[in-house]
Amino acid sequence: MKQFFILAAFNLLYFTSTSQELNCQVSIIASNKVEVSTVEQEVLNQLEEVIRQFMNDTKWTKDNFKLEERINCQIQFQLENIPQPGVYEGMIQVQSSRPVFNSTYNTLLLNFSDQNVSFAFSRNAMLNYAPNQYRDNLTSMLAFYAYYIIGMDYDSFGLKDGGQYLQEAQNIVMNAQSSGAPGWSPDQTGNKNNRYWIIDNALHQLFEPLRECVYEYHRLGLDKLYENKEQGRIAIYESLNKLAKVVATRPNSFNITSFIQAKRNELKQIYTDAAVPDKGKLVALLKRLDPVNSEKYDEILK
C-alpha cells in the first residue's frame, strides 16, 4: 500500500510538473462587412476553443516541458467572408515570443500575417493531426504554425536546434499541396509571403545566416545584456550583420524583413543609451537590410 501511494505521488508530481510545448492564445474576430448569425457565432465560439485545445494539448515533440517553459504564442483569425455556412475566409496573424534571461521581458520571435486563408469547420468537429497525412486545411495550417513556432524557438536557444521541427513544417506543406488550398504552393502572382515560401526560405542553404542570426541575436546578445550591456549590443549587431549576405542574393526577402521589423522597437530600447556613432552604425545596417522601410529605423537615432 505504501508503495502504491509513493507511485501515485510520483505520477502526480510528474504530470503537474510537465506539460505540452505551447501556451497558445486564440481569438476569432469578424470584420465589419461580415454578418454573423447567432447560430454561426456559436460555431465560431466552439471553433475558438477547439483550436486552443488542439494547439495546447497536442504533443508536438518528444521533449518534456515544464509549465513555465511553454512557448507563448498567439493566433488571431480575422474573418472576411463566410461564403456558405461552415466555410470561412480571411487572414491569420501568428505571433510567438520567448523570455530573455535575467529579465521579465519577452522578445518577439515570429510575427506573420497569413493573408490568404480558407477552411471549413462544422459544429462538434474535432481536429486530429496525423504526421505525413493531409486531413483538412485547418488542421494542416495549425500544425504547420505549431512546428514553425517550435522550430524558431529552438533555433533561438541552440544553433539550428529547430531544424527537425522546421522540416516537419515543410513536410506539412508538401502533403497539403495536392489539396489546392491557398498558401501551400508557390503563388503564381509572385507573392512570396505564403506558407510555402516562409518555410522554403527558412530551410534553404542561402538563408542559413538567418538561422545563425536568430541564435546569436538571442543567446549571445539579448540573454547577455544583463551581464554586460555593451558586449550584448556588439553581439546583436554582429548577428544582424550576417544577414547582409542573404540580402545580397535575396533582397526584400519576407523572412529577413519580418524578423528585422519584429525587432525594430526592441532595438530602439536596447540602443537608447548607446553612443551616437553606435546608433548610426546600427541604423545604416538596418536600412541596407530593409531599404523599403528605411525611414522607420530613424526612430532609433532619437
Side-chain angles (χ1 to χ4, degrees), residues 14 21 59-65 154 164-165:
Y14 176 81
E21 299 85 354
K59 184 65 175 171
W60 300 104
T61 75
K62 295 180 180 179
D63 296 336
N64 290 319
F65 279 61
Y154 274 60
Q164 62 179 311
Y165 307 116

Side-chain angles (χ1 to χ4, degrees), residues 271 274-283 301:
Y271 275 76
V276 173
D278 290 340
K279 288 184 178 181
K281 185 180 176 182
L282 174 69
V283 170
L301 298 171

Side-chain angles (χ1 to χ4, degrees), residues 23-274:
N23 177 32
C24 187
Q25 306 300 315
V26 181
S27 61
I28 300 175
I29 59 175
S31 67
N32 294 332
K33 62 182 181 181
V34 179
E35 294 185 10
V36 180
S37 66
T38 302
V39 173
E40 198 75 63
Q41 186 61 56
E42 292 176 355
V43 175
L44 291 177
N45 292 341
Q46 185 184 76
L47 172 62
E48 190 175 280
E49 182 58 29
V50 167
I51 293 172
R52 186 181 297 110
Q53 291 178 355
F54 177 73
M55 296 296 286
N56 293 333
D57 294 348
T58 301
K59 184 65 175 171
W60 300 104
T61 75
K62 295 180 180 179
D63 296 336
N64 290 319
F65 279 61
K66 294 180 180 179
L67 193 63
E68 65 273 15
E69 292 175 337
R70 292 182 302 167
I71 302 168
N72 292 320
C73 54
Q74 297 179 352
I75 293 180
Q76 183 181 86
F77 289 77
Q78 181 169 316
L79 302 181
E80 300 292 346
N81 187 30
I82 305 177
Q84 63 187 71
V87 177
Y88 306 97
E89 299 174 348
M91 61 163 285
I92 301 177
Q93 188 75 30
V94 183
Q95 294 183 338
S96 70
S97 61
R98 60 91 106 184
V100 174
F101 185 67
N102 269 333
S103 78
T104 58
Y105 176 68
N106 285 279
T107 180
L108 191 62
L109 265 179
L110 173 66
N111 187 18
F112 178 58
S113 181
D114 193 333
Q115 297 287 337
N116 198 1
V117 170
S118 176
F119 62 89
F121 178 81
S122 57
R123 187 189 295 272
N124 299 322
M126 299 299 294
L127 303 179
N128 294 294
Y129 172 66
N132 301 315
Q133 181 180 348
Y134 177 85
R135 292 188 172 182
D136 62 84
N137 201 41
L138 178 59
T139 301
S140 291
M141 282 193 298
L142 294 173
F144 170 84
Y145 286 119
Y147 279 115
Y148 194 83
I149 288 168
I150 292 169
M152 284 283 290
D153 190 81
Y154 274 60
D155 268 5
S156 77
F157 284 102
L159 183 59
K160 300 180 185 178
D161 277 2
Q164 62 179 311
Y165 307 116
L166 295 176
Q167 186 61 59
E168 187 64 37
Q170 189 173 58
N171 291 341
I172 292 170
V173 170
M174 294 175 63
N175 291 329
Q177 285 180 353
S178 60
S179 70
W184 298 117
S185 301
D187 193 319
Q188 298 302 316
T189 65
N191 175 29
K192 293 193 174 184
N193 293 2
N194 65 7
R195 277 159 259 131
Y196 174 89
W197 285 112
I198 191 175
I199 192 60
D200 184 78
N201 287 346
L203 289 171
H204 197 287
Q205 186 176 0
L206 285 174
F207 284 81
E208 283 192 1
L210 174 57
R211 295 186 64 192
E212 294 170 2
C213 171
V214 168
Y215 168 71
E216 294 178 11
Y217 181 100
H218 295 95
R219 285 297 292 129
L220 307 184
L222 280 186
D223 286 344
K224 301 294 184 180
L225 287 176
Y226 179 82
E227 297 176 7
N228 190 320
K229 196 168 189 178
E230 188 60 31
Q231 287 300 316
R233 281 199 286 239
I234 291 173
I236 285 172
Y237 177 85
E238 291 178 348
S239 70
L240 293 170
N241 197 37
K242 287 178 175 287
L243 302 181
K245 190 183 302 183
V246 183
V247 172
T249 54
R250 295 285 181 89
N252 301 316
S253 160
F254 176 78
N255 296 60
I256 299 292
T257 57
S258 63
F259 178 78
I260 297 172
Q261 290 174 34
K263 299 300 184 183
R264 179 165 54 90
N265 291 332
E266 180 173 275
L267 288 167
K268 181 179 179 180
Q269 294 300 316
I270 293 171
Y271 275 76
T272 296
D273 58 349

Side-chain angles (χ1 to χ4, degrees), residues 3-14:
Q3 291 178 332
F4 171 80
F5 282 115
I6 291 175
L7 181 61
F10 175 80
N11 288 336
L12 178 62
L13 177 62
Y14 176 81

